[in-house]
């Protein structure tokens, strides 16, 4: 007998995977046999349909051949499966069921997560030169920090601690979930003691047992040389504190303005210099700007407009890190100076006569 899996879940043939999962969740809540008013037969039908339609390959086979493609050893008609029915042939589908039954029975898969405070992210403006050479910036924030009075224990100093009665000092509470696969033992961090296994005999009067308090804190952020606009730096342990857990991190997103003198391309800086017609023809020494200050640049005779001159070591420092250790450590990129020759627009009669005599044609 052909089975209409789309009809079973109550979705259209073009339904998305999210729609299929939502439909199965709804039916699983409604028909689960361990719930009052549950219907085991309908629950099994919904699960069978979900196992096929949640798998792209099986769904494609079903769309082409119908449920007959899964009769016998190919799918749901043959072998005996979990809970008296078959069909758990795809690992992806089984994982989805783990998520769904975790939601149904309130515990997920029993994975314990390390408690950690929230991260903090701020934006910081740098000058162009600060991005090139690096800088230290003082940051001041109001955030959750470990309580100074109780050092994060949540208890009054000197009053001592006692074993948590809810978890018997284990820091976790053990429960049992009844599922279609049988009873599954789960472990959850004890909410009473936040996993520490102990409780203060007397609550701290400053943080009221929370172990943290909101206060103003200042610290220094070291911006390394060579950072670019949009880069994000992490300062570990400078985020929000949490009782019986690790402090979050502090993230700073850097904003670097453009500079009217320089264009940056990686570790190379590009600038322009304008010289006169005579300087280009006869050669000269000119003064050009670098991020380190002014330097002299020799212009050889016969220089053409658009000529480029390299100032070695006047660019951006190479990024710090293992990849640049050794020979690259402390080295900088170069600066490229593009020379523009300015052609005179106003000439005296004598100047014109001299140029005509030179007959400088290409």
């Amino acid at each position: 007998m052909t089975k209409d899996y789309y009809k079973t879940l109550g979705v259209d043939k073009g339904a998305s995977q999210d729609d299929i999962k939502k439909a199965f969740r709804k039916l699983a809540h409604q028909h689960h046999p361990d719930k009052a008013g549950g219907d085991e037969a309908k629950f099994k039908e919904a699960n069978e349909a979900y196992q096929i339609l949640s798998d792209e390959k099986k769904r494609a086979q079903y769309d082409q051949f119908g449920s007959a493609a899964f009769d016998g050893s190919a799918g749901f008609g043959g072998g005996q499966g979990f809970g008296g029915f078959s069909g758990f042939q795809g690992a992806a589908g089984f994982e989805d069921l783990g998520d769904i039954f975790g939601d149904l029975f309130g515990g997920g898969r029993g994975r314990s997560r390390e408690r950690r405070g929230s991260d903090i992210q701020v934006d910081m403006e740098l000058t162009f030169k600060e991005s090139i050479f690096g800088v230290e910036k003082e940051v001041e924030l109001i955030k959750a920090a470990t309580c100074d009075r109780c050092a994060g224990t949540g208890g009054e100093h000197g009053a001592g601690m006692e074993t948590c009665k809810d978890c018997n000092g284990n820091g976790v509470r053990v429960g049992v979930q009844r599922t279609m696969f049988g009873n599954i033992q789960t472990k959850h961090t004890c909410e009473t003691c936040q996993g520490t296994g102990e409780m203060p005999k007397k609550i701290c009067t400053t943080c009221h047992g929370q172990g943290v308090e909101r206060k103003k804190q200042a610290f220094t952020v070291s911006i390394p040389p060579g950072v670019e606009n949009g880069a994000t730096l992490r300062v570990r342990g400078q985020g929000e504190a949490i009782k019986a857990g690790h402090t979050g991190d502090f993230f700073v997103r850097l904003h670097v303005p453009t500079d009217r003198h320089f264009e940056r391309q990686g570790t190379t800086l590009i600038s322009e210099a304008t010289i006169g017609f005579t300087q280009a023809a006869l050669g000269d020494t000119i003064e050009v700007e670098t991020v380190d200050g002014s330097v002299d640049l020799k212009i050889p005779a016969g220089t053409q407009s658009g000529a480029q001159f390299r100032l070695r070591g006047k660019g951006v420092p190479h990024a710090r890190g293992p990849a640049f250790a050794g020979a690259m450590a402390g080295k900088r990129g170069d600066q490229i100076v593009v020379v523009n020759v300015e052609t005179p627009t106003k000439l005296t009669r004598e100047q014109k006569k001299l140029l005509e005599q030179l007959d400088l044609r290409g």
Side-chain angles (χ1 to χ4, degrees):
M1 179 178 176
T2 302
K3 301 176 182 179
D4 190 336
Y5 292 139
Y6 291 106
K7 185 176 180 179
T8 299
L9 294 182
V11 297
D12 296 330
K13 192 171 182 180
S16 67
Q17 287 298 323
D18 284 341
D19 291 335
I20 290 171
K21 180 178 284 189
K22 288 177 183 178
F24 176 62
R25 283 175 182 267
K26 182 178 179 180
L27 292 173
H29 276 281
Q30 181 180 351
H31 299 306
H32 195 277
D34 287 341
K35 296 186 66 175
D39 188 321
E40 184 174 0
K42 289 184 178 180
F43 180 82
K44 290 179 179 179
E45 289 176 2
N47 180 70
E48 180 178 332
Y50 177 71
Q51 287 296 307
I52 297 298
L53 299 184
S54 64
D55 185 298
E56 293 292 353
K57 290 184 179 179
K58 291 181 180 180
R59 183 177 179 179
Q61 288 178 318
Y62 171 74
D63 289 342
Q64 186 173 3
F65 303 109
S67 60
F70 304 97
D71 290 341
S73 61
F76 292 96
Q80 190 73 9
F82 291 99
F85 63 96
S86 59
F88 291 94
Q89 301 215 358
F94 187 81
E95 290 173 0
D96 288 341
L97 281 175
D99 287 336
I100 290 170
F101 292 126
D103 293 339
L104 277 172
F105 304 109
R109 304 178 197 175
R111 293 178 180 174
S112 59
R113 289 188 177 182
E114 186 180 70
R115 286 172 54 81
R116 186 173 178 276
S118 300
D119 295 329
I120 299 175
Q121 180 169 320
V122 301
D123 292 277
M124 181 180 291
E125 299 285 339
L126 300 179
T127 66
F128 187 78
K129 284 193 175 183
E130 285 175 339
S131 74
I132 300 296
F133 296 111
V135 66
E136 291 193 343
K137 292 282 190 178
E138 191 76 12
V139 175
E140 191 173 76
L141 296 172
I142 296 178
K143 61 176 183 174
T146 301
C147 177
D148 290 330
R149 184 178 181 87
C150 67
T153 65
E156 196 66 26
H157 180 69
M161 307 291 285
E162 61 184 0
T163 301
C164 175
K165 297 177 181 178
D166 288 341
C167 66
N168 296 319
N170 294 317
V172 295
R173 300 180 68 176
V174 179
V176 176
Q177 294 178 346
R178 291 185 61 196
T179 74
M180 58 185 292
F181 310 115
N183 293 336
I184 298 177
Q185 188 181 72
T186 61
K187 291 183 179 181
H188 306 275
T189 300
C190 178
E191 296 179 357
T192 304
C193 65
Q194 282 82 49
T196 62
E198 56 184 10
M199 293 290 293
K201 293 181 179 179
K202 187 176 181 181
I203 298 298
C204 174
T205 57
T206 298
C207 68
H208 307 290
Q210 297 301 310
V212 296
E213 59 176 326
R214 295 198 70 81
K215 58 184 178 180
K216 185 182 292 186
Q217 284 195 323
F219 56 94
T220 300
V221 177
S222 296
I223 310 297
V227 295
E228 297 191 60
N229 181 51
T232 299
L233 301 180
R234 169 190 274 181
V235 183
R236 296 186 183 276
Q238 288 294 352
E240 300 271 6
I242 189 172
K243 183 181 178 181
H246 294 286
T247 303
D249 296 332
F250 177 78
F251 292 86
V252 53
R253 185 174 174 83
L254 304 175
H255 298 276
V256 181
T258 56
D259 189 273
R260 64 189 182 93
H261 297 294
F262 307 101
E263 176 189 346
R264 178 174 175 177
Q265 294 182 2
T267 60
T268 301
L269 294 177
I270 299 174
S271 64
E272 294 185 353
T274 301
I275 61 175
F277 180 80
T278 304
Q279 290 174 300
L282 302 179
D284 196 2
T285 298
I286 64 171
E287 191 177 80
V288 296
E289 286 293 323
T290 73
V291 290
D292 301 286
S294 299
V295 298
D296 290 335
L297 174 65
K298 186 176 181 180
I299 304 296
T303 295
Q304 302 297 307
S305 187
Q308 298 182 4
F309 297 90
R310 184 181 298 272
L311 298 176
R312 297 193 179 278
K314 294 297 182 181
V316 182
H318 289 278
R320 292 178 178 176
F324 291 94
M328 299 300 290
K331 290 199 172 184
R332 293 169 57 180
D334 300 331
Q335 178 177 335
I336 303 298
V337 181
V338 180
V339 172
N340 298 314
V341 179
E342 187 175 53
T343 303
T345 56
K346 294 182 180 180
L347 296 172
T348 64
R349 185 177 299 176
E350 184 178 352
Q351 289 171 333
K352 288 181 179 180
K353 189 175 181 179
L354 289 172
L355 286 175
E356 289 172 355
Q357 291 175 356
L358 289 174
D359 193 21
L360 300 175
R361 299 180 183 180

